Amino acid sequence: MGYKDIQLGLTFDHVWEILEKDSAFGFRGDRDVSLLPTEERVLIETSGSAFFERCWFQFYEDKLYSIVLNIDTDRMDYFSMFKTFSQKYGEPNSLNPSKSEWKNDSVILSLEKPLTVKYLDVKVFNELQDISEKATSAEDYLRKRFLESF
């Protein structure tokens, strides 16, 4: 699942090639790529053209696991997107005033107000949360031990 040819699970190099060829994105190559400081994560942040304002593509272990697309609200509206997603994916699993979510065992697709579309690989997200919780627990333990030393 993803936007056009950019699908969750693709490699960094594959997404790079797609972004270079797709005029919907203002991809500028290396200038748009950042190495995040932990857990082998890479981020591509690019401006958009046409309907996109900004777009983010996050990778973990060289696989795309998160796509965030901010859509220009002067050119598109939430209701049109909601209607399109509902026709394609059925009724959302959760709905509240700020966002709608469609979920299955592998992907969460959210449509958030004012107008952001997010695709998230559930398995990778859960793995990263576990890593984060373990790191936080270890840090809390070290902090506690440090305070006890006084």
Side-chain angles (χ1 to χ4, degrees):
M1 182 176 281
Y3 176 74
K4 291 172 60 176
D5 291 334
I6 303 174
Q7 300 292 309
L8 295 175
L10 291 180
T11 65
F12 175 82
D13 290 338
H14 195 165
V15 172
W16 178 295
E17 290 174 19
I18 294 168
L19 289 174
E20 281 185 317
K21 294 175 185 172
D22 194 331
S23 62
F25 303 98
F27 183 62
R28 303 170 302 168
D30 285 333
R31 295 186 294 180
D32 291 340
V33 178
S34 302
L35 178 61
L36 300 175
T38 59
E39 297 105 27
E40 300 178 30
R41 288 197 258 179
V42 175
L43 172 70
I44 296 176
E45 178 183 357
T46 184
S47 61
S49 59
F51 289 91
F52 297 116
E53 290 180 342
R54 300 276 321 146
C55 305
W56 294 267
F57 305 90
Q58 289 188 315
F59 299 83
Y60 177 66
E61 297 181 344
D62 195 43
K63 301 288 185 198
L64 181 63
Y65 79 94
S66 173
I67 302 170
V68 179
L69 308 169
N70 280 356
I71 299 171
D72 183 350
T73 56
D74 291 334
R75 300 195 70 188
M76 185 55 59
D77 64 279
Y78 183 89
F79 179 73
S80 295
M81 296 288 297
F82 178 83
K83 183 177 175 185
T84 298
F85 284 14
S86 294
Q87 288 171 344
K88 187 170 183 175
Y89 303 112
E91 293 299 313
N93 299 86
S94 65
L95 178 65
N96 64 53
S98 63
K99 73 177 176 179
S100 305
E101 283 188 347
W102 291 261
K103 299 177 188 178
N104 62 34
D105 291 340
S106 57
V107 177
I108 297 172
L109 167 61
S110 63
L111 177 62
E112 301 177 5
K113 291 183 179 178
L115 199 48
T116 299
V117 176
K118 294 181 180 178
Y119 298 90
L120 186 62
D121 181 309
V122 172
K123 181 181 174 192
V124 175
F125 178 73
N126 289 340
E127 182 180 332
L128 291 172
Q129 272 193 314
D130 288 346
I131 290 168
S132 176
E133 287 173 9
K134 287 176 185 172
T136 300
S137 295
E139 183 65 28
D140 288 345
Y141 173 77
L142 292 172
R143 186 174 188 273
K144 180 181 175 189
R145 294 288 304 217
F146 173 76
L147 291 170
E148 289 172 351
S149 68
F150 287 97

